[in-house]
């Protein structure tokens, strides 16, 4: 923790030198529950969501953000009794946004990884899960080993890229957004599109990708964590979010959202729904 | 192709809304750069080496770094909110951070314009004015600046055009301006490859329609104000 | 080089938390070096292409054919007055689809890679400015010099190649070096089409290792050094080629 603060202070000094003006030091919460209080005082909770991730969180024609994670964000704001402000984030900047306090919490399709847990307060349980997989033209790829030395399209800021490069020897071309990466893939600039199994499953189910398939087994299946700032993980704010996620599993809300948005049912979510059932038998009928 | 153009038309209103943000960013950044550049330009002309040399070093470094890099630094390293004593906390949205980032290289270049324009006035004029007992300040405001203003206008407008053309870079960091909105629209509409030419082509036309008249006007000014030898 | 500095940077990380991973971990170091080489290559190729376009374009602008002159004008205005980042995306995604490619089993080995498109797109962009710069240089060549060459029996092409161009080049060098420096900086935009140059590489490094401030400082220094070296070289060239009695 200390290192991170020291480093961001270093960056600030650097920015101040560059701009020639003194910039203010970001507010770092010292007292517990500061964030929760700030949210309540503001009357608005700022939740970071993706903006180009159909159907988890994407921009609709009227300009508003829609999707599964947006619905979850509404649930959170409703439970807190405050207004919701959705902040579009990118995979490459979401943790910085949370660190800087630009968003109060993050429901941003973020895999729960040990290195990320050192930076942001990822709460348990996780709300979704997916792994890395490939989409390719039918018959072009049959196993993960087929991508050795081949160009693969990916998205910047996604940790699958490094695995594909170091473990499978692929040449990953990472683009700034899904749309650019998929365009590059569809126009044949790479052998496969390396991304999240949930998103690829969705694309294939939507029927926009006839003649393509997800030919390799999903590996590194990893839950997605909702997150609060690091220092809030074990305070009221983090515990509240844990409760929200637990309730989503317990009540079947996530299964309901899968159906609402037409996502292929995930065995992981079905399993969580089962294991997170509280046994109320002792209450009788 | 026709399908793609139809899709484009559905999204044009939203893209134009994004374009308004490009305009706002370019106006604000230019205003900041003009004021700041004027002062930095003065510092570049300072008689004191202790002021002139560090200013020149910083100015040159900024002019030598790519806009994209400056943009990264500002978006990731600047705080999202600033505490102003007595006023509470001011929130700095992304587009404003990008605007401040864009204003920095433009400031450095406006400073060069100011320095160059003032240096271009023959020194005989300053000497003549000084011999007429004008103070240094009077020489600057009454003799140098009125002549420089006309020389500075065309390059200043050139920099405005470059700035406006740079604003779509903010999309890379998630600002919802014209380019960012167009990319989101393509994704939301199913991400078909046939969208690419019409959507990016439309953006090119949009910027051209705005910048080309400015460029023409700049050329006219350049010709009109050209100092005849 | 790597063995020599790795321990120092590894202990810097341990002691202070400043994580310059590209200087102590082999994998990231290789990425960094590749990125740096690619950036420098990209800059050089873009500069060369833009100068070639500038020279040919300025020649074409003096053409007797109105269609050619009009075409050059449209090219210059089209590229000068649209955002380079959109140009790059348009070239790569838009034109990329129309270029012949070799089926390599599931994907196409393109004749023009992302790097190639970056060179083409940025070279053409920079070239649009160079044409105008060279034309201004050509206009500054005294009429009498050209007439002298004509009276010696030089053809139009010979006059351009041996008399006007070398002189024009010297006249326009200050403006040219400005534009070349600005083009060198613009090459960082190749990042948006996934060309693994410096901006792209350090971006990957900082998202894999969450050491944003350190890598950002490195990125800033890289460009400041490369661009400063370029402008020092061009300044030296200017002084070297300066003609006494002109400028």
């Amino acid at each position: 923790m200390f290192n991170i603060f020291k480093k961001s202070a270093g960056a600030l000094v650097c920015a101040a030198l560059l701009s020639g003006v003194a910039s203010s030091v970001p507010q770092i919460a010292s007292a517990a529950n500061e964030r929760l209080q700030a949210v309540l005082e503001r009357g608005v909770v700022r939740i970071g969501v993706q903006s180009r991730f159909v159907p988890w969180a994407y921009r609709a024609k009227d300009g508003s953000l829609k999707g599964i994670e947006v619905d979850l964000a509404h649930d959170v704001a409703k439970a807190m009794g405050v207004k919701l402000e959705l902040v579009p984030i990118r995979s490459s900047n979401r943790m910085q946004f949370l660190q800087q306090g630009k968003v109060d919490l993050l429901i941003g399709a973020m895999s729960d990884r040990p290195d990320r847990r050192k930076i942001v307060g990822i709460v348990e349980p996780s709300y979704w899960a997916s792994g890395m997989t490939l989409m390719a033209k039918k018959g072009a790829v049959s196993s993960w080993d087929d991508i050795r030395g081949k160009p693969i399209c990916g998205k910047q800021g996604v940790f699958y890229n490094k695995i594909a490069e170091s473990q499978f020897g692929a040449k990953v071309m990472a683009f700034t957004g899904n749309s650019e990466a998929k365009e590059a893939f569809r126009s044949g600039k790479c052998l496969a599109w390396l991304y999240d199994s949930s998103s690829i499953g969705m694309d294939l189910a939507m029927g926009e990708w006839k003649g393509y398939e997800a030919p390799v087994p999903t590996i590194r299946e990893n839950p997605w964590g909702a997150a609060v700032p690091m220092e809030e993980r074990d305070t009221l704010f983090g515990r509240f979010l844990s409760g929200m996620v637990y309730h989503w599993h317990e009540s079947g809300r996530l299964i309901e959202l899968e159906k609402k948005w037409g996502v292929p049912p995930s065995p992981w979510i079905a399993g969580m729904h089962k294991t997170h059932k509280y046994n109320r038998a002792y209450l009788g009928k | 192709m026709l399908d793609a153009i139809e899709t484009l038309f559905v999204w044009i209103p939203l893209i134009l809304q994004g374009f308004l943000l490009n305009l706002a960013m370019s106006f604000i950044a230019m205003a900041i750069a003009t004021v700041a550049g004027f002062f930095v330009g003065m510092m570049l002309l300072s008689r004191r080496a202790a002021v002139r040399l560090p200013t020149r070093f910083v100015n040159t470094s900024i002019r030598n770094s790519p806009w994209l890099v400056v943009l990264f630094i500002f978006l990731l390293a600047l705080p999202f909110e600033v505490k102003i004593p007595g006023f509470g906390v001011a929130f700095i949205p992304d587009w404003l951070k990008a605007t401040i980032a864009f204003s920095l290289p433009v400031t450095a270049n406006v400073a060069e314009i100011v320095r160059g324009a003032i240096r271009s006035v023959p020194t005989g004029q300053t000497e003549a004015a000084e011999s007429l007992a004008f103070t240094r300040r009077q020489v600057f405001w009454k003799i140098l600046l009125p002549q420089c203003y006309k020389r500075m206008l065309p390059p200043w407008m050139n920099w405005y055009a470059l700035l406006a053309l740079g604003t779509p870079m903010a999309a890379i960091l998630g600002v919802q301006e014209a380019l960012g909105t167009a990319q989101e629209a393509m994704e939301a509409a199913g991400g078909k490859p046939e969208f690419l030419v019409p959507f990016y082509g439309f953006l090119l036309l949009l910027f051209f329609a705005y910048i080309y008249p400015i460029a023409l006007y700049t050329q006219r000014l350049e010709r009109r104000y050209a100092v005849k030898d | 080089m790597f063995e020599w500095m790795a321990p120092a940077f590894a202990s810097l990380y341990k002691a202070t938390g400043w994580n310059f991973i590209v200087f102590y971990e082999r994998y990231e170091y290789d990425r960094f070096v590749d990125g740096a080489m690619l950036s420098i290559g990209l800059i050089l190729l873009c500069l060369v292409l833009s100068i070639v376009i500038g020279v040919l374009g300025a020649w074409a602008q003096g053409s007797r054919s109105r269609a050619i002159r009009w075409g050059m004008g449209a090219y210059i205005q089209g590229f000068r007055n649209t955002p380079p980042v959109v140009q790059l995306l348009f070239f790569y995604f838009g034109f990329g689809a129309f270029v012949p490619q070799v089926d390599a089993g599931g994907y196409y080995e393109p004749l023009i890679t992302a790097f190639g498109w970056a060179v083409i797109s940025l070279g053409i962009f920079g070239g649009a400015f160079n044409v105008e710069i060279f034309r201004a240089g050509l206009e500054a060549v005294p009429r009498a010099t050209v007439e002298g060459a004509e009276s010696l029996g030089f053809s139009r092409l010979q006059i351009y190649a041996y008399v006007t161009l070398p002189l024009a080049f010297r006249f326009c060098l200050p403006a040219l070096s400005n534009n070349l420096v600005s083009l060198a900086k613009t090459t960082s935009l190749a990042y948006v089409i996934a060309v693994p140059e410096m901006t792209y590489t350090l971006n990957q490094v900082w998202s894999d290792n969450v050491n944003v401030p350190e890598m950002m400082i490195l990125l800033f220094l890289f460009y400041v050094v490369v661009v400063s070296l370029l402008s020092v070289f061009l300044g030296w060239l200017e002084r070297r080629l300066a003609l006494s009695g002109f400028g």
Side-chain angles (χ1 to χ4, degrees), chain B residues 19-34 67 99 102 105-107 109-110 113 152-168 207 210-215 217-218, chain C residues 80-81:
Chain B
F19 186 64
L20 288 182
L21 189 57
N22 290 87
L23 295 185
M25 288 197 289
S26 70
F27 294 151
I28 299 172
M30 200 64 202
I32 297 174
T34 306
W67 292 27
T99 306
F102 286 131
V106 183
T107 299
N109 285 289
V110 169
I113 295 173
M152 287 190 289
L153 196 57
W156 181 86
M157 286 180 54
N158 251 332
W159 273 103
Y160 173 72
L162 287 177
L163 167 65
L165 294 177
T167 53
F207 276 91
Y210 175 59
I211 297 294
Y212 185 53
I214 296 179
Y217 186 64
T218 310
Chain C
R80 285 184 68 141
N81 298 313

Side-chain angles (χ1 to χ4, degrees), chain A residues 87-157:
Chain A
V87 179
I89 48 102
R90 293 282 184 100
S91 300
S92 48
N93 64 15
R94 56 193 167 193
M95 287 189 285
Q96 284 89 3
F97 276 25
L98 196 57
Q99 269 183 320
Q100 294 182 337
K102 255 182 86 144
V103 297
D104 300 311
L105 62 89
L106 203 58
I107 309 181
M110 182 170 69
S111 294
D112 178 10
R113 305 293 311 154
D115 51 339
R116 290 177 176 165
R117 282 193 177 216
K118 285 185 205 148
I119 300 157
V120 293
I122 295 179
V123 301
E124 294 169 359
S126 291
Y127 65 96
W128 210 277
S130 66
M132 67 186 265
T133 197
L134 294 172
M135 171 152 60
K137 271 216 182 93
K138 279 203 171 112
V141 176
S142 54
S143 82
W144 279 103
D145 294 322
D146 291 352
I147 62 173
R148 185 167 301 282
K150 301 279 170 59
I152 299 297
C153 287
K155 187 182 158 189
Q156 283 172 13

Side-chain angles (χ1 to χ4, degrees), chain B residues 52-149:
Chain B
R52 193 177 64 239
L53 296 180
T55 312
R56 193 194 294 163
F57 177 76
V58 173
N59 216 51
T60 310
S61 301
I62 292 172
R63 277 169 20 115
N64 282 353
S65 57
W67 292 27
L68 189 59
V69 173
V70 177
L71 197 61
F72 271 122
I73 292 175
F74 270 72
L75 267 103
L76 298 181
L78 267 197
F80 79 103
E81 58 186 15
V82 184
K83 235 184 193 151
I84 306 165
F87 286 97
V89 175
F91 180 67
I92 315 177
D94 260 357
W95 67 267
L96 191 58
K97 273 198 210 175
T99 306
I100 297 169
F102 286 131
S103 74
L104 196 66
V106 183
T107 299
N109 285 289
V110 169
E112 284 299 318
I113 295 173
V114 171
R115 188 185 71 101
I118 288 178
R119 289 271 300 272
S120 74
V121 178
T123 48
Q125 298 208 12
T126 315
E127 284 156 13
E130 273 169 358
S131 68
L132 289 171
F134 278 75
T135 63
R136 193 165 151 74
R137 182 167 296 176
Q138 281 175 318
V139 172
F140 178 71
W141 288 104
K142 299 208 166 133
I143 311 279
L144 297 180
L145 203 61
Q147 304 188 56
C148 296
Y149 157 75

Side-chain angles (χ1 to χ4, degrees), chain C residues 54 58 61-62 76 130-140 168 172:
Chain C
Q61 269 204 325
I76 293 168
N130 284 352
V131 172
E132 298 242 290
I133 290 169
F134 277 116
R135 202 197 47 183
L138 289 175
E139 280 169 2
C172 69

